[in-house]
Amino acid sequence: ALLVGLAGMWAAGRASDRGVAAPRIFLLGALAQAPFLLALSVLGGGWLLPAAMGVAFFHFLTQPPGNLMVSDFTPPHLRGLGYGLFFFLSFGVGSIGAILGGWVSDRAGLASIFAAFAVLLVPTIVAVAWLSLSRRGPADAPGATG
């Protein structure tokens, strides 16, 4: 999973270097994870590994643009707070995923965990779609206030 995730991070870096906006890369990663998560909830046998690899690739694809968006969308004097909140949400709130997964598994079965996680991507997709479509630029661009 980590090797496939490494490929996702590399792909995100290449796309960014070629001028693709960070919110669009992140949006692609978040949107692409959902079908793979749903596939994990219904597939079996030899299809599980490719589906899990798809999740890993697109999950890790979101990491570099996520970090870049924090620096792009926070003013310089609030950047430390921005990264603190970003990592709190990623790791602090994200760690609740294990508890949630156990709770869903106990009530609806193991396969339901992946469908539940796909649904939990919806707020992320909406937020990043808004950033991707907004006309707001980087916080430290000329003319930006902060």
Side-chain angles (χ1 to χ4, degrees):
L2 292 177
L3 285 175
V4 174
L6 176 67
M9 290 178 128
W10 179 82
R14 293 288 294 159
S16 181
D17 288 346
R18 292 179 182 203
V20 180
R24 292 181 192 252
I25 299 168
F26 195 103
L27 183 60
L28 168 69
L31 284 169
Q33 280 179 73
F36 284 106
L37 285 165
L38 292 172
L40 282 171
S41 70
V42 297
L43 295 176
W47 291 104
L48 287 174
L49 183 60
M53 291 169 71
V55 170
F57 180 87
F58 288 108
H59 172 74
F60 283 99
L61 182 104
T62 64
Q63 302 304 306
N67 285 319
L68 183 59
M69 286 189 306
V70 172
S71 68
D72 278 353
F73 290 97
T74 57
H77 71 282
L78 294 175
R79 200 149 292 147
L81 176 63
Y83 277 105
L85 289 171
F86 179 69
F87 288 114
F88 168 73
L89 290 171
S90 297
F91 297 110
V93 175
S95 67
I96 296 170
I99 296 167
L100 177 65
W103 184 81
V104 169
S105 177
D106 286 346
R107 281 150 186 77
L110 188 59
S112 300
I113 295 170
F114 301 108
F117 287 161
V119 170
L120 290 175
L121 277 172
V122 171
T124 299
I125 291 168
V126 169
V128 176
W130 177 79
L131 282 175
S132 181
L133 298 172
S134 78
R135 297 187 183 271
R136 181 176 172 194
D140 53 359
T145 59

